[in-house]
């Protein structure tokens, strides 16, 4: 059956428009450069990515394995998000030196704090190796050869378009990364969980680190003899400001998207998986919040855990909201049905949609069991370490830890499909009468440090059940609802889509490899008649200020500066008010991993740091909708204002290069 123009147009109208959608491989950005320049970009593809000369890629790092950072000085100074540096800040915090609450400002290189285990990676190069692998070379061989090319080199082979193309990524890793500055949490995490994923936003979500290297400027383990890294490239900072409609570009390491999945998978996410995980985390957060409210030391101890749990918890809520309100299941179903009609006279593609649906039906229950197990039994500690036990705080944690064990055992029993529940768990519940009573027995053994047969049996059988599910699905790569057969089918499906829908700009799903996204500063209509401007200011922070609420209790210094209006060179006139810009919205396609990514203007200058999306924008991991999908960045002028006027660390600005050009 031949596709008619009418059929194609009907299918496409059921999908969101594709403006500003996409996470593009930088080595192939020349294919997009004309579109970028038509939207205002003023540089070249070589300026973005080059292996022959310094380019923007040399100023962007994968930070701590899951965020992005950018270089802003010739002396290795690096900006990322406060929440990306949160674990490091927490590890250096005590009740006496509470850097989470009060901030941290190194006033000299000697005061910069080392962070064991924290590293950054620069992309050296990427290259397509599809043909080399088809000719018989193995991924292991390619990786081994690449890592032998330089000191501190790391490499990986990553699939694009479900294996239709494969790329080798070569990185240079630096392991001496030191904390330089962090604002108080009432700035860096202003609004806390309440404002997370929400607009208008007023969060100064940044922290400052410095990369150190050997005297030869090579990767080196921490040593007092190391010196600041001298980068090939660092970003110039624009202080001119931004306005609605201005071109923006994001350069970073987006973690995970599923843009091409079938409606079956979207329905599973919105109707089954996300709601269950949201409900489980509701309870965990309540228990932890109660502990934090009871004791300042417990507040610090559980701060990072609370933030980690809450981030995905709220993200999933927005994802469900966006999918539901935009009718994503229906639009995807219409699209795949149009493809399926076209495919009926093509043997290679004729059965691929029906085979995908059949495989989804087979794997949903075991995959759901896996998700529930990870959210419950696997979320509990296998032991409490000697280091934990030596802490003065350890005994005070007991009621909270006990409550978490009881709650999560109960949730596992109620939500995990019975046929995939761990036999030892079922036996324990039968013996002690309830999941909560069984939890008490296991908790006592783990808390006391005894290594009993019962505890070991539960751990062993939980692992075995998870391994059984992995065996059923045929792959260990189970971040999303998938299986080995699904992956193989999607290889064919994506190849067919690209053949059928020649007008669609296909980009590979995010997989924590370096990508370029571009768009513009843009507000949006949140609801009927409710337009949200794309810029916020210090005035909004003051309006939210509340000393009675931890997340809204701003530093007195910020109140004083607002009262005096002594903003220095960071002052801006907006709507007749003398103020300081704080955050902005843009239409760049982002996801987790883009946290900390540089937001760049048309000249490739730094105008902000990406840190979030609007609530309903979280659906962009599945389907990008330009009418509602917006990323949120902190304005670089607010970052500099806080460093200068709040932290008193203006000396850091002396390292940076500024431009007043727009």
């Amino acid at each position: 059956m031949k596709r008619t123009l009418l059929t194609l147009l009907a299918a496409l109208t059921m999908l969101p428009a594709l403006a500003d959608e996409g996470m593009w491989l930088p080595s192939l950005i020349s294919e997009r450069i004309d579109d970028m320049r038509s939207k205002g970009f003023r540089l070249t593809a070589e300026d973005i990515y080059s292996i022959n000369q310094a380019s923007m890629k040399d100023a962007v790092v994968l930070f701590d394995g899951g965020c992005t950072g950018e270089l802003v000085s010739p002396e290795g100074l690096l900006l990322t998000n406060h929440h990306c540096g949160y674990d490091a800040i927490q590890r250096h915090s005590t009740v006496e030196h509470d850097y989470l609450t009060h901030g941290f400002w190194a006033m000299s290189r000697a005061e910069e704090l080392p962070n064991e285990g924290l590293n950054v990676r620069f992309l050296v190069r990427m290259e397509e190796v599809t043909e080399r692998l088809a000719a018989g070379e193995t991924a292991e061989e390619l990786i081994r050869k690449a890592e032998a090319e330089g000191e501190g080199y790391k490499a990986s082979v990553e699939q694009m378009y479900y294996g239709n193309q494969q790329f080798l990524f070569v990185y240079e890793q630096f392991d001496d990364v030191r904390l330089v500055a962090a604002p108080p949490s009432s700035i860096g995490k202003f609004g806390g969980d309440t404002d997370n994923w929400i607009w208008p936003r007023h969060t100064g979500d940044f922290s400052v680190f410095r990369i150190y290297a050997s005297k030869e400027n090579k990767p080196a383990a921490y040593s007092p003899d190391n010196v600041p890294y001298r980068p090939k490239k660092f970003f110039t900072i624009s202080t001119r400001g931004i306005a609605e409609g201005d071109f923006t570009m994001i350069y970073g390491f987006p973690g995970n998207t599923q843009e091409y999945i079938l409606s079956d998978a979207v329905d599973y996410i919105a109707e089954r998986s996300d709601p269950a995980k949201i409900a489980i985390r509701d309870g965990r957060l309540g228990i932890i919040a109660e502990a934090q409210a009871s004791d300042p030391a417990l507040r610090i101890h559980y701060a990072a855990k609370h933030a980690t749990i809450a981030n995905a918890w709220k993200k999933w809520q927005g994802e469900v909201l966006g999918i539901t309100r935009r009718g994503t299941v229906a639009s995807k179903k219409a699209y795949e049905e149009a493809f399926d009609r076209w495919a009926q006279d093509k043997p290679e593609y004729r059965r691929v949609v029906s085979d995908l649906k059949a495989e989804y039906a087979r794997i949903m229950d075991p995959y759901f069991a896996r998700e529930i197990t990870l959210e419950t039994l696997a979320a509990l500690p296998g032991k409490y370490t000697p280091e934990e036990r030596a802490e003065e705080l350890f005994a005070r944690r007991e009621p909270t830890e006990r409550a978490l064990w009881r709650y999560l055992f109960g949730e596992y029993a109620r939500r995990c499909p019975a046929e995939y529940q761990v036999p030892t768990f079922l036996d324990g519940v039968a013996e002690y009468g309830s999941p909560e009573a069984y939890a008490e027995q296991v908790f006592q053994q783990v808390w006391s440090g005894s290594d009993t047969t019962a505890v070991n049996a539960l751990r062993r059988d939980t692992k075995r059940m998870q391994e059984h599910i992995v065996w059923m699905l045929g792959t260990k790569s189970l971040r999303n609802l998938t299986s080995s057969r699904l992956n193989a089918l999607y290889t064919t499906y994506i190849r067919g889509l690209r053949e059928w829908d020649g007008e669609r700009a296909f980009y590979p799903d995010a997989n924590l490899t370096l990508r370029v996204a571009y768009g513009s500063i843009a507000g949006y209509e949140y609801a009927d008649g409710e337009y949200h401007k794309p810029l916020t200011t210090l005035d909004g922070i003051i309006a939210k200020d509340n000393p009675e609420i931890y997340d809204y209790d701003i530093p007195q210094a910020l109140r004083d500066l607002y009262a005096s209006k002594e903003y220095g060179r960071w002052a801006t006139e907006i709507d007749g008010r003398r103020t300081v810009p704080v955050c902005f919205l843009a239409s760049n396609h982002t996801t987790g991993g883009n946290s900390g990514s540089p937001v760049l203007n048309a000249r490739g200058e730094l105008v902000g740091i990406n840190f979030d999306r609007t609530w309903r924008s979280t659906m962009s991991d599945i389907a990008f909708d330009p009418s509602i999908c917006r990323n949120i960045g902190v304005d670089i002028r607010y970052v500099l204002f806080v460093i200068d006027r709040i932290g008193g660390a203006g000396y850091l600005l002396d390292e940076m290069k500024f431009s007043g050009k727009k």
Side-chain angles (χ1 to χ4, degrees):
M1 179 188 300
K2 293 185 179 180
R3 178 181 59 180
T4 66
L5 178 61
L6 181 61
T7 300
L8 176 59
L9 291 174
L12 293 177
T13 58
M14 296 174 187
L15 288 176
L18 300 178
D20 299 326
E21 179 181 6
M23 300 176 177
W24 308 100
L25 292 168
S27 64
L28 304 178
I29 200 63
S30 59
E31 299 174 7
R32 306 296 307 174
I33 201 67
D34 288 344
D35 187 54
M36 294 176 69
R37 292 182 68 84
S38 73
K39 294 178 178 179
F41 189 59
R42 301 185 186 184
L43 302 178
T44 69
E46 278 283 299
D47 291 317
I48 296 173
Y49 177 90
S50 176
I51 59 174
N52 300 312
Q53 62 186 35
S55 60
M56 290 183 194
K57 78 169 175 66
D58 300 308
V60 181
V61 299
L62 177 62
F63 182 89
D64 201 23
C67 282
T68 303
E70 53 273 0
L71 276 294
V72 291
S73 93
E75 298 177 79
L77 201 66
L78 178 152
L79 297 178
T80 189
N81 286 154
H82 183 268
H83 74 260
C84 293
Y86 203 80
D87 284 349
I89 302 165
Q90 181 195 36
R91 285 195 295 270
H92 290 296
S93 294
T94 63
V95 174
E96 294 76 22
H97 299 286
D98 187 354
Y99 300 139
L100 286 176
T101 299
H102 304 298
F104 171 78
W105 309 96
M107 293 303 171
S108 69
R109 300 280 170 84
E111 294 182 7
E112 296 175 358
L113 300 176
N115 300 281
E116 185 177 357
L118 176 59
N119 64 66
V120 299
R121 289 186 176 185
F122 292 89
L123 179 66
V124 177
R125 72 176 192 279
M126 57 179 295
E127 60 181 282
E128 187 172 359
V129 292
T130 310
E131 293 184 359
R132 293 172 66 181
L133 290 168
E137 289 189 77
T138 66
E140 292 75 18
E141 289 172 338
L142 294 172
I143 292 170
R144 185 174 62 253
K145 292 176 183 177
E147 292 185 343
E149 293 175 6
E151 190 174 347
Y153 274 27
K154 307 292 182 180
S156 65
V157 173
E158 306 291 347
Q159 294 188 355
M160 305 294 166
Y161 305 107
Y162 287 88
N164 281 291
Q165 293 176 261
Q166 300 191 66
F167 284 76
L168 172 69
F169 291 82
V170 184
Y171 303 93
E172 186 177 28
Q173 179 172 306
F174 288 81
D175 296 310
D176 187 355
V177 184
R178 305 182 195 181
L179 177 63
V180 175
S185 287
S186 54
I187 289 177
K189 200 173 177 288
F190 182 81
D193 296 333
T194 303
D195 284 4
N196 192 23
W197 305 105
I198 297 297
W199 185 262
R201 199 70 176 273
H202 301 87
T203 309
D205 197 346
F206 78 92
S207 55
V208 188
F209 291 79
R210 191 184 306 276
I211 305 169
Y212 280 76
S214 70
K215 290 182 173 62
E216 295 74 34
N217 208 39
K218 298 294 184 181
Y222 168 79
S223 169
D225 296 328
N226 287 346
V227 297
Y229 171 66
R230 302 182 299 280
K232 299 175 184 176
K233 172 78 174 178
F234 63 92
F235 289 114
T236 297
I237 295 171
S238 172
T239 57
R240 180 70 178 269
I242 50 179
E244 189 158 14
D246 285 356
F247 176 91
T248 56
M249 172 180 142
I250 294 248
Y251 210 164
F253 291 85
N256 183 55
T257 59
Q258 307 174 74
E259 298 292 334
Y260 308 110
I261 57 174
L262 260 59
S263 56
D264 306 63
V266 180
D267 185 69
Y268 168 84
I269 292 167
E271 298 295 331
R272 188 176 186 186
S273 174
D274 280 2
K277 292 184 295 186
I278 291 164
I280 292 169
R281 293 199 176 195
D282 270 337
R284 292 177 69 191
L285 288 168
I287 293 167
I288 291 171
E290 184 176 353
Q292 289 182 296
S294 71
D295 188 325
L298 291 177
R299 177 180 56 75
I300 294 171
H301 174 82
Y302 285 113
K305 177 176 286 190
H306 188 283
T308 299
I309 296 169
N311 192 53
W313 164 78
K314 196 166 185 178
K315 183 259 190 185
W316 294 326
Q317 294 176 58
E319 187 171 70
V320 171
L321 183 64
I323 290 171
T324 303
R325 289 190 178 178
R326 305 305 297 181
T328 306
V329 173
S331 64
K332 279 190 170 285
K333 187 176 182 180
Y335 186 72
E336 63 207 38
E337 287 176 349
F339 167 81
D340 197 43
R341 289 192 294 273
W342 168 85
Q344 289 311 300
D345 62 350
K346 299 168 178 63
E348 183 180 2
Y349 305 125
R350 184 168 54 228
R351 290 187 53 83
V352 68
V353 171
S354 61
D355 287 348
L356 280 165
K357 290 180 176 295
E359 180 64 2
Y360 273 127
R362 184 184 77 87
I363 69 170
M364 280 183 181
D365 273 1
Y367 188 83
F368 183 70
R370 179 180 180 273
E371 289 198 288
I372 295 300
T373 304
L374 291 174
E375 288 291 323
T376 55
L377 300 186
L380 293 164
K383 63 179 180 180
Y384 296 95
T385 67
E387 291 77 15
E388 287 182 282
R389 296 178 182 280
E391 295 173 353
E392 183 259 339
L393 182 66
F394 185 70
R396 305 209 305 267
R397 290 170 52 194
E398 182 175 2
T400 302
E401 296 296 309
R402 182 189 303 275
L404 287 168
W405 279 78
R406 288 176 59 89
Y407 172 74
L408 291 176
F409 268 48
E411 288 295 287
Y412 176 78
R414 284 183 283 275
R415 296 183 182 275
C416 185
E419 63 268 37
Y420 299 107
Q421 288 194 18
V422 177
T424 299
F425 181 88
L426 294 172
D427 292 343
V429 172
E431 180 178 354
Y432 294 103
S434 71
E436 291 76 15
Y438 180 42
E440 284 283 349
Q441 296 298 316
V442 179
F443 171 73
Q444 285 295 347
Q445 295 164 8
V446 177
W447 185 257
S448 66
S450 59
D451 198 11
T452 69
T453 301
V455 173
N456 286 337
L458 179 60
R459 294 175 188 167
R460 183 181 63 249
D461 280 6
T462 301
K463 183 180 179 184
R464 283 178 176 174
M465 180 59 77
Q466 293 293 74
E467 289 173 345
H468 175 66
I469 293 171
V470 168
W471 173 81
M472 288 183 65
L473 303 183
T475 177
K476 294 181 179 180
S477 301
L478 289 173
R479 186 172 182 181
N480 303 313
L481 174 64
T482 191
S483 70
S484 58
R485 176 153 173 76
L486 272 179
N487 286 333
L489 290 168
Y490 269 114
T491 302
T492 302
Y493 180 58
I494 299 302
R495 186 164 62 248
L497 286 182
R498 296 174 78 179
E499 182 179 331
W500 167 66
D501 193 353
E503 297 182 17
R504 183 174 181 180
F506 288 88
Y507 54 90
D509 274 320
N511 56 2
L512 209 63
T513 57
L514 191 60
R515 305 293 180 91
V516 174
Y518 58 93
S520 61
I521 302 296
Y524 76 117
E525 190 174 28
Y526 179 77
D528 184 35
E530 184 180 337
Y531 177 75
H532 282 201
K533 295 181 178 180
L535 306 173
T536 62
T537 69
L538 182 58
D539 302 75
I541 294 177
I542 299 301
K544 292 180 177 178
D545 179 29
N546 187 341
E548 301 301 316
I549 302 174
Y550 177 79
D551 288 326
Y552 294 100
D553 182 16
I554 64 174
Q556 185 60 43
L558 195 56
R559 299 186 186 103
D560 294 342
L561 285 168
Y562 181 77
S564 68
K565 301 295 188 289
E566 294 179 359
Y567 305 141
R569 56 175 162 161
W570 315 116
T572 301
E573 289 289 328
I574 298 179
D575 297 333
R577 308 187 317 274
R578 180 178 170 83
T579 189
V580 178
V582 175
C583 292
F584 59 81
L585 286 178
S587 62
N588 304 283
H589 193 175
T590 64
T591 187
N594 277 126
S595 291
S597 295
V599 185
L600 307 167
N601 65 13
R603 298 178 182 271
E605 300 162 338
L606 187 67
V607 296
I609 307 171
N610 184 72
F611 71 92
D612 206 353
R613 289 172 283 174
T614 56
W615 203 22
R616 291 184 293 168
S617 298
T618 56
M619 68 172 289
S620 66
D621 291 349
I622 296 164
F624 184 88
D625 185 337
S627 68
I628 63 170
C629 289
R630 298 289 184 271
N631 66 294
I632 306 175
V634 55
D635 195 300
I636 195 64
R637 293 169 293 176
Y638 185 58
V639 172
L640 300 172
F641 166 77
V642 172
I643 292 173
D644 185 20
R645 307 293 287 174
I646 301 297
Y651 78 94
L652 293 173
L653 278 55
D654 297 336
E655 298 182 33
M656 304 175 189
K657 181 180 178 182
F658 295 93
S659 169
K661 297 179 180 179
K662 189 172 182 180

